[in-house]
Amino acid sequence: MDKNSIFKILENIPDPEIPVVNIVELGMIKDVLVNDNNEIVVQIMPTYTACPATWQIQNDIQKKLSENNLNAKVEIVYSPAWTTDRITPEASEKLKKYGIAPPQKNGTIHQLTEQSVVIPCPHCGSTNTKLVSPFGSTPCKALMQCNDCLEPFDYFKCHL
Amino acid sequence: MNFQEALFKYLLILGDTSLILAQRLSEWTGHGPFLEEDLALTNIALDTLGHAKTLLEYAAKVENKGRDEDKLAYFRNGREFYNVKLVEQPNGNYADTIVRQVFMDAFRYHYYKALCESKDETLTALAQKAVKEVQYHYRHSSWWIKRFGDGTEESHQKAQNAINNLWRFTGELFVPDESELIMEEEKIAPSLKQIQYIWNEEMQNLMKEATLTIPENAFMQTGGKQGIHTEHLDYILAEMQSLPRMYPEAKW
């Protein structure tokens, strides 16, 4: 079994919190190592140190690979740190369709709390939005609201 | 104290400080003054618990006696906890919690920033992640300090009372334990002296902006890093450890 085919299998594992995107396109897989004895190690990068989904993802990977008759070790790797830059453009688009504003490249968390960046509303596209709460339903999200369509929405915090 | 013992003790100081702060903050879950603040403190507690988990997991590995991070968190007594006394102080009113938090956030932010340069790879990896998370926490707590200090007469008074009460616990952050000195020499731990300088200046400026005053020539409490605590720690442990001690093999 080669690395690419394992990546293909991992693409079928959704993020436990945001099921419209998979763990590969979120950039959570650092690497897959296969040695000569066909032993597999999947290295995952947690988005946040305490993200409760990390343990769930570990289990999901083991389960999915064992369905394919593969035995893998899952390693949590903290260095280099995961950043929102690892999220693919396709995944960003899926997040938007799901109602979560994807991270803005120039919208670091520091700037966000100063409200100097514009986060467009994922529902109507308006740029007239406001920050409701810098902390949201999961460690990776902030809560915002659109001043035009009045819909509340989640913003995936930029973590660079 | 040999290198391994010093590293183990050093990791417990860092890990226990995060663990007890996280436990204190999580007491606010469901009791926040309004929904957004409830979310904020719960999120901050969770991030902080994540740091504690990573640090204690590493401590257990260094100790190499078959304990894991849960064993360290749930099966040690008060005298074997090495957190600073500041984090075990009660939540009190919201100003008490926020003042304790801003002292800790400013400290943790500069500590983790300096720890990114550590010679220990496990610690630099954690620090790189944690510094970003704590920066967000720090932003939140400094907002509130300014609002309280420069808000109403009552909010100002409550924040001032909290500072007057908690200031005496801040000195301990910068008094190194024997293990910290050894780690500093090994270039694993950052210099507490340098962090103290930056921290002091930042707190003075922040409080000035918030129209609050920092007490002068206060007597500073110490002892937490040697396992000598205020009466509050054992109550925290009693609650936090009760379930695993009653049902040591419980799984969920």
Side-chain angles (χ1 to χ4, degrees):
Chain A
M1 186 59 88
D2 66 299
K3 196 162 137 174
N4 286 340
S5 347
I6 293 169
F7 262 100
K8 280 265 170 305
I9 297 171
L10 296 176
E11 277 171 14
N12 293 312
I13 302 173
D15 179 86
E17 299 270 13
I18 314 166
V20 286
V21 283
N22 70 55
I23 57 172
V24 176
E25 55 191 358
L26 276 178
M28 291 188 65
I29 308 295
K30 180 173 175 261
D31 209 353
V32 174
L33 313 170
V34 189
N35 70 10
D36 294 339
N37 296 330
N38 260 332
E39 286 163 341
I40 305 166
V41 176
V42 180
Q43 295 180 319
I44 60 173
M45 309 163 82
T47 54
Y48 277 70
T49 35
C51 184
T54 308
W55 302 292
Q56 174 78 43
I57 290 167
Q58 242 177 320
N59 286 339
D60 289 350
I61 291 175
Q62 254 144 3
K63 216 174 123 198
K64 187 57 91 187
L65 290 177
S66 73
E67 280 168 19
N68 289 274
N69 296 320
L70 294 168
N71 233 329
K73 232 179 94 186
V74 183
E75 246 178 38
I76 297 179
V77 185
Y78 291 100
S79 180
W82 176 89
T83 68
T84 40
D85 263 358
R86 295 183 59 88
I87 301 176
T88 65
E90 295 77 37
S92 282
E93 208 42 52
K94 286 186 200 166
L95 285 173
K96 211 161 112 186
K97 284 206 182 108
Y98 188 59
I100 299 173
Q104 295 288 310
K105 290 281 173 208
N106 58 348
T108 69
I109 50 173
H110 201 70
Q111 286 167 329
L112 175 68
T113 53
E114 294 287 345
Q115 298 202 33
S116 56
V117 277
V118 176
I119 313 293
C121 170
H123 305 294
C124 73
S126 162
T127 50
N128 181 16
T129 58
K130 66 172 184 219
L131 179 70
V132 176
S133 169
F135 295 92
S137 53
T138 68
C140 58
K141 286 178 282 178
L143 199 58
M144 306 210 37
Q145 191 182 14
C146 177
N147 290 327
D148 285 334
C149 73
L150 300 180
E151 285 292 330
F153 64 91
D154 275 331
Y155 169 59
F156 202 114
K157 291 188 232 170
C158 178
H159 224 222
L160 291 178
Chain B
M1 201 179 263
N2 66 28
F3 177 81
Q4 187 203 8
E5 286 162 354
L7 179 58
F8 178 60
K9 171 81 189 285
Y10 170 66
L11 292 169
L12 289 182
I13 293 173
L14 296 185
D16 289 347
T17 296
S18 293
L19 177 63
I20 300 301
L21 181 62
Q23 181 70 15
R24 267 290 184 235
L25 287 170
S26 68
E27 288 172 16
W28 275 106
T29 306
H31 301 277
F34 51 91
L35 185 62
E36 287 79 3
E37 278 310 295
D38 207 296
L39 281 172
L41 289 189
T42 307
N43 265 290
I44 295 168
L46 181 63
D47 284 345
T48 308
L49 187 65
H51 308 158
K53 182 189 183 279
T54 313
L55 289 161
L56 293 180
E57 201 173 51
Y58 186 29
K61 206 173 125 193
V62 169
E63 187 196 34
N64 198 18
K65 283 189 182 159
R67 293 202 274 188
D68 62 4
E69 68 272 24
D70 283 347
K71 273 270 168 350
L72 287 175
Y74 296 130
F75 294 91
R76 277 182 300 148
N77 296 327
R79 288 294 290 267
E80 300 160 281
F81 269 77
Y82 301 119
N83 58 282
V84 293
K85 286 176 171 176
L86 178 60
V87 293
E88 69 205 33
Q89 298 311 304
N91 286 338
N93 62 39
Y94 213 59
D96 293 319
T97 293
I98 292 294
V99 167
R100 185 187 65 205
Q101 197 58 29
V102 85
F103 289 157
M104 283 310 296
D105 287 347
F107 175 76
R108 296 189 300 162
Y109 174 64
H110 290 292
Y111 196 92
Y112 285 132
K113 209 165 143 186
L115 196 62
C116 290
E117 309 295 322
S118 168
K119 268 174 78 182
D120 184 303
E121 280 174 15
T122 311
L123 288 176
T124 50
L126 165 73
Q128 282 165 17
K129 196 95 241 187
V131 72
K132 294 176 193 171
E133 295 167 359
V134 173
Q135 184 184 38
Y136 209 66
H137 306 168
Y138 188 18
R139 203 80 225 158
H140 169 261
S141 51
S142 6
W143 263 0
W144 275 108
I145 290 293
K146 290 180 215 165
R147 274 195 213 178
F148 284 149
D150 209 9
T152 66
E153 210 174 298
E154 190 184 353
S155 71
H156 177 93
Q157 195 54 52
K158 284 188 171 166
Q160 188 60 55
N161 291 348
I163 294 170
N164 295 348
N165 176 38
L166 293 171
W167 184 253
R168 65 198 152 119
F169 295 108
T170 58
E172 189 186 11
L173 289 166
F174 308 104
V175 180
D177 175 64
E178 190 193 345
S179 61
E180 287 177 295
L181 286 175
I182 297 173
M183 288 303 116
E184 226 174 272
E185 232 162 74
E186 298 278 346
K187 303 258 180 290
I188 286 175
S191 152
L192 284 175
K193 259 211 184 81
Q194 273 175 28
I195 295 168
Q196 180 172 27
Y197 180 77
I198 307 171
W199 184 90
N200 248 319
E201 207 172 58
E202 253 180 46
M203 286 302 101
Q204 293 288 354
N205 291 339
L206 174 69
M207 295 308 171
K208 207 169 145 192
E209 202 187 332
T211 72
L212 295 161
T213 328
I214 289 176
E216 275 173 44
N217 305 321
F219 175 79
M220 288 296 182
Q221 293 262 346
T222 51
K225 291 177 181 177
Q226 287 77 41
I228 315 291
H229 293 280
T230 60
E231 66 272 31
H232 307 295
L233 181 68
D234 279 333
Y235 291 96
I236 300 175
L237 297 184
E239 187 178 17
M240 186 180 87
Q241 299 180 332
S242 63
L243 188 89
R245 290 216 184 200
M246 264 192 274
Y247 304 98
E249 304 299 328
K251 290 250 182 316
W252 72 322

